[in-house]
């Protein structure tokens, strides 16, 4: 991908958001129901947008929250709602508006006390803990976050009683009902003021129970006894409040290298495209932590809602997410003896085929699904899937005893797992990756973002295999043209083309005006470049059709 001159450098002042302007626009801007770009649209992780172009406003939150309340009623979900938010500027006003709707609909809602922040995995775990052994009065959750998106963005996502990201049938229902409400000026929305004082709104501590339970998923005693020095950068996100209690509870050596909470995220280094983006898998956004790699035995960061991880090892710097996933899977399959041998290892179809090789070498079954963590939720929930991971640095896995931990991504445990690997093997994950390469060969992998209009994205999403007329990919015969995932036959929402020693996949972003191109070669960097060039030409022809 092209690199902006500011990539990896401290964010200049002219890139910083005006928080007051952003919040004012949240209340004042009114979406145009006739403009599809301003309607509610759930991507793989909820509705996202910004108040500056009327795509994330008070009107949207009123409509979505009312739709969620009505969905709960249709499903007989009568238990508590656990609600978290991250540190983006629009998260707090969106939370307040949502609470007014939840209170008016008599939904018992629990939020972090003292107006605190709550990571996505903490909400997932809270839902599962509440629902354990229950068949009625089930809990569900909302997380107000646009994940790693720029500071001007807001996001809003719903987690049903299984604790994971809502499936398409759920999000379609909520999206369609929310847009009906928007078209009527939200005439059907119930709302009360002073929701924080309502009898149905409860403040509690989410930090303590999550931290106390962590020993059941990570070997924290091994980390403590080995004296592993850990550096953590929360990137100004919701996990910031979790590391000091964790260090104190378990006696582990953790240094939070950046404790700042700032909705402008002025402490960030600029991402590849010249934007501030809290992407913990980006070497440009992570430049500050990478510089500190030699101060620690292992270092890691999380995005603002802490569902993603970025691992920095002294031997390798920032690990490519695919490389770390392969290492994590190999380690866990060897060091979790209570996990059921029948449990599959889940990966998204755009993740590295190095994972396939690791899983096969250990005699386990791979489960390849479309992009979106929701596909792993049922398997993690019932233990049929021991690990679910995606190339965008999101993953979760079972407790040490084989029971469910979270059914949404958990960046905290993936960071702590890197410390466990270092503690128990005496080598950091970068060293382990080199061992995998020596055994299986080097995969050459890339992901490229390219501009695409909503119309072009729609064309890409609906492509058929027949739309690809090419018979070769970078000089090799094409062996598969896939629009459905091999693991579950679910639609990809795009296309994957495979040859003997390479592949590419293209799919539209659910939240940005781009399409994402993924490619990998088992031969060389030059072969990868040839795959990318041909892939771009294939996609360009396909989405330019009249």
């Amino acid at each position: 991908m092209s690199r902006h001159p500011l990539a990896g450098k401290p964010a200049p002042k002219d890139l910083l958001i005006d928080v007051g302007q952003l919040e004012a626009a949240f209340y004042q801007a009114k979406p145009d129901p006739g403009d599809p770009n301003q309607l509610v649209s759930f991507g793989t992780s909820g509705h996202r947008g910004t108040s500056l172009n009327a795509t994330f406003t008070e009107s949207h939150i009123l409509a979505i929250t009312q739709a969620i309340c009505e969905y709960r009623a249709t499903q007989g979900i009568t238990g508590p709602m656990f609600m978290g938010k991250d540190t983006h500027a629009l998260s707090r006003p969106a939370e307040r508006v949502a609470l007014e709707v939840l209170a008016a609909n008599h939904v018992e809602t629990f939020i972090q006390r003292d107006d605190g922040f709550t990571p996505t995995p903490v909400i997932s775990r809270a839902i599962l803990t509440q629902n354990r052994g229950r068949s009625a009065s089930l809990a569900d959750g909302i997380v107000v976050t646009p994940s790693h998106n720029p500071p001007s963005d807001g996001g809003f996502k719903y987690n049903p009683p299984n604790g994971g990201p809502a499936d398409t049938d759920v999000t379609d229902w909520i999206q369609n009902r929310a847009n009906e409400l928007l078209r009527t000026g939200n005439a059907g929305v119930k709302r009360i003021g002073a929701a924080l004082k309502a009898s149905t709104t409860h403040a509690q501590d989410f930090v303590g129970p999550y931290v106390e339970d962590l020993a059941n998923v990570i070997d924290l005693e091994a980390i403590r006894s080995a004296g592993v020095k850990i550096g953590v950068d929360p990137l100004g996100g919701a996990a910031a409040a979790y590391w000091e209690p964790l260090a104190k509870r378990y006696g582990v050596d953790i240094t939070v290298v950046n404790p700042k909470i700032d909705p402008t995220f002025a402490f960030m280094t600029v991402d590849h495209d010249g934007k501030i983006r809290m992407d913990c898998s980006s070497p440009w956004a992570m430049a500050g932590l990478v510089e500190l790699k030699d101060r620690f035995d292992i270092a890691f960061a999380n995005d603002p809602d802490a569902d993603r991880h970025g691992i920095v090892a002294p031997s390798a710097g920032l690990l490519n997410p695919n490389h770390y996933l392969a290492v994590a899977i190999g380690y866990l399959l060897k060091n979790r003896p209570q996990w059921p041998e029948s449990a599959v290892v889940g990966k998204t179809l755009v993740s590295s085929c190095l994972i396939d090789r690791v899983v096969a070498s250990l005699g386990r079954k791979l489960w390849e699904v479309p992009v979106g963590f929701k596909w792993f939720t049922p398997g993690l929930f019932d233990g049929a899937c021991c690990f679910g991971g995606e190339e965008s640095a999101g993953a979760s896995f079972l407790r040490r005893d084989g029971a469910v931990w979270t059914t949404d991504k958990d960046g905290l445990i993936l960071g702590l797992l890197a410390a466990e690997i270092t503690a128990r093997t005496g080598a950091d994950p970068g060293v382990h990756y080199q061992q995998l390469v020596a055994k299986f060969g080097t995969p050459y992998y890339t992901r490229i973002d390219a501009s695409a209009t909503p119309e072009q994205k729609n064309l890409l999403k609906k492509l058929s295999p027949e739309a690809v007329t090419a018979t070769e990919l970078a000089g090799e015969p094409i062996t598969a043209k896939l629009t459905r995932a091999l693991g579950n036959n679910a639609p990809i929402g795009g296309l994957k083309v495979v040859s003997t020693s390479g592949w590419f996949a293209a799919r539209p972003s659910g939240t940005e005006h781009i399409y994402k191109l993924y490619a990998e070669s088992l031969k060389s960097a030059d072969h990868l470049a040839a795959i990318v060039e041909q892939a771009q030409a294939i996609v360009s022809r396909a989405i330019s059709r009249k």
Side-chain angles (χ1 to χ4, degrees):
M1 63 183 70
S2 61
R3 190 183 307 178
H4 193 277
L6 289 174
K9 298 179 180 178
K13 289 185 178 180
D14 61 358
L15 275 186
L16 304 184
I17 60 169
D18 182 330
V19 174
Q21 178 191 32
L22 197 67
E23 291 185 352
F26 174 80
Y27 293 105
Q28 295 167 7
K30 303 299 178 186
D32 177 3
D35 182 351
N37 295 324
Q38 294 185 24
L39 291 174
V40 173
S41 177
F42 273 77
T44 54
S45 296
H47 175 77
R48 295 182 191 174
T50 176
S51 59
L52 300 179
N53 64 10
T55 54
F56 190 91
T57 67
E58 178 185 42
S59 298
H60 290 100
I61 303 307
L62 289 170
I64 296 170
T65 311
Q66 181 63 40
I68 289 172
C69 291
E70 294 177 12
Y71 174 78
R72 297 179 99 241
T74 68
Q75 301 299 306
I77 301 171
T78 58
M81 169 72 73
F82 294 109
M83 189 171 181
K85 67 175 182 293
D86 77 358
T87 53
H88 276 77
L90 290 175
S91 294
R92 180 172 280 113
E95 178 196 49
R96 298 294 175 88
V97 171
L99 286 172
E100 293 178 358
V101 178
L102 292 166
N105 283 273
H106 309 292
V107 177
E108 299 284 339
T109 305
F110 290 81
I111 59 174
Q112 174 61 32
R113 69 188 184 196
D114 302 322
D115 199 23
F117 307 102
T118 308
T120 287
V122 175
I123 294 297
S124 177
R125 181 202 159 276
I127 295 168
L128 294 170
T129 301
Q130 174 70 22
N131 291 343
R132 188 176 298 138
R134 293 176 181 267
S135 59
S137 299
L138 297 178
D140 54 2
I142 289 172
V143 188
V144 188
T145 175
S147 189
H148 63 293
N149 276 28
S152 59
D153 283 10
F156 202 85
K157 59 184 182 180
Y158 173 66
N159 287 38
N162 64 14
D167 205 348
T168 307
D169 59 339
V170 179
T171 56
D172 283 351
W173 196 101
I174 294 169
Q175 173 182 300
N176 293 337
R177 176 55 181 150
N179 285 328
E180 287 179 10
L181 291 164
L182 278 181
R183 291 187 180 100
T184 64
N186 281 332
V189 173
K190 300 176 182 177
R191 181 183 191 182
I192 64 170
L196 288 174
K197 297 180 180 180
S199 61
T200 55
T201 302
H202 311 280
Q204 69 171 45
D205 176 40
F206 285 112
V207 179
Y210 177 88
V211 168
E212 188 66 26
D213 208 8
L214 273 172
N216 292 310
V217 68
I218 295 292
D219 190 347
L220 290 158
E221 173 55 28
I223 297 171
R224 185 201 65 77
S225 60
V228 176
K229 292 181 64 178
I230 303 170
V232 178
D233 188 347
L235 298 182
Y242 284 70
W243 298 114
E244 183 179 341
L246 189 156
K248 183 177 181 181
R249 169 64 180 83
Y250 296 105
V252 294
D253 184 351
I254 294 178
T255 300
V256 177
V257 301
N258 170 28
K260 296 177 183 177
I261 301 294
D262 172 10
T264 72
F265 295 91
F267 46 77
M268 288 296 299
T269 51
V270 178
D271 204 1
H272 68 93
D273 56 358
K275 295 182 180 180
I276 297 175
R277 187 182 287 108
M278 288 62 69
D279 183 352
C280 49
S281 66
S282 164
W284 301 281
M286 286 279 284
L289 186 58
V290 173
E291 287 181 359
L292 302 176
K293 68 181 180 65
D294 295 326
R295 282 179 47 190
F296 303 101
D297 298 316
I298 198 73
F300 53 85
N302 300 119
D303 63 335
D305 72 319
D307 68 345
R308 300 189 187 207
H309 59 273
I311 310 299
V312 176
S315 67
L318 179 66
L319 283 169
N320 178 289
N322 277 299
H323 300 172
Y324 179 59
L325 288 182
V327 170
I329 290 166
Y331 172 84
L332 287 166
L333 292 181
K334 295 175 184 176
N335 291 277
R336 293 297 187 267
Q338 291 182 274
W339 283 7
E341 291 189 6
S342 60
V344 300
V345 176
K347 76 157 197 172
T348 53
L349 59 87
V350 297
S351 301
S352 175
C353 58
L354 179 62
I355 294 170
D356 306 41
R357 296 178 175 190
V358 170
V359 173
S361 72
L362 294 170
R364 305 297 283 264
K365 183 179 178 182
L366 186 76
W367 187 40
E368 185 172 282
V369 300
V371 173
F373 203 80
K374 65 185 179 183
W375 301 109
F376 302 126
T377 293
L380 290 169
F381 184 81
D382 64 13
C385 176
C386 60
F387 183 101
E390 40 185 25
E391 59 78 34
S392 56
S396 190
F397 49 89
L398 299 179
R399 293 169 182 263
R400 295 162 73 182
D401 66 359
V404 61
W405 168 249
T406 62
T407 48
D408 211 330
K409 296 172 284 191
D410 191 336
L412 292 88
I413 64 167
L414 268 296
L416 290 169
L417 179 65
E420 180 187 325
I421 292 170
T422 303
R424 294 189 61 181
T425 69
D428 71 47
V431 174
H432 287 275
Y433 172 69
Q434 290 304 320
Q435 294 170 351
L436 293 182
V437 166
K439 183 175 182 179
F440 299 113
T442 302
Y444 298 87
Y445 182 98
T446 191
R447 193 195 95 180
I448 297 170
D449 294 346
S451 297
T453 66
E455 293 75 20
Q456 290 174 325
K457 288 167 56 178
N458 193 47
L459 281 171
L460 180 55
K461 187 176 182 179
K462 295 180 178 179
L463 274 185
S464 67
E466 292 73 28
V468 179
T469 57
T471 58
E472 292 188 346
L473 180 63
E476 294 184 334
I478 291 174
T479 57
K481 303 173 185 177
L482 306 172
T483 56
R484 290 182 174 271
L486 293 174
N488 59 0
N489 200 38
I492 293 171
L495 175 75
K496 184 173 184 179
V497 176
V498 184
S499 68
T500 303
S501 53
W503 60 269
F504 80 83
R507 54 177 293 273
S509 169
T511 56
E512 299 178 83
H513 294 314
I514 59 173
Y515 77 83
K516 301 178 181 182
L517 178 68
Y518 312 80
E520 187 170 37
S521 167
L522 303 180
K523 284 185 173 181
S524 66
D526 288 342
H527 185 239
L528 174 64
I531 291 174
V532 169
E533 183 178 2
Q534 187 176 349
Q536 288 175 318
I538 289 172
V539 174
S540 180
R541 285 195 297 270
I543 66 177
S544 297
R545 292 185 295 117
K546 301 295 182 183

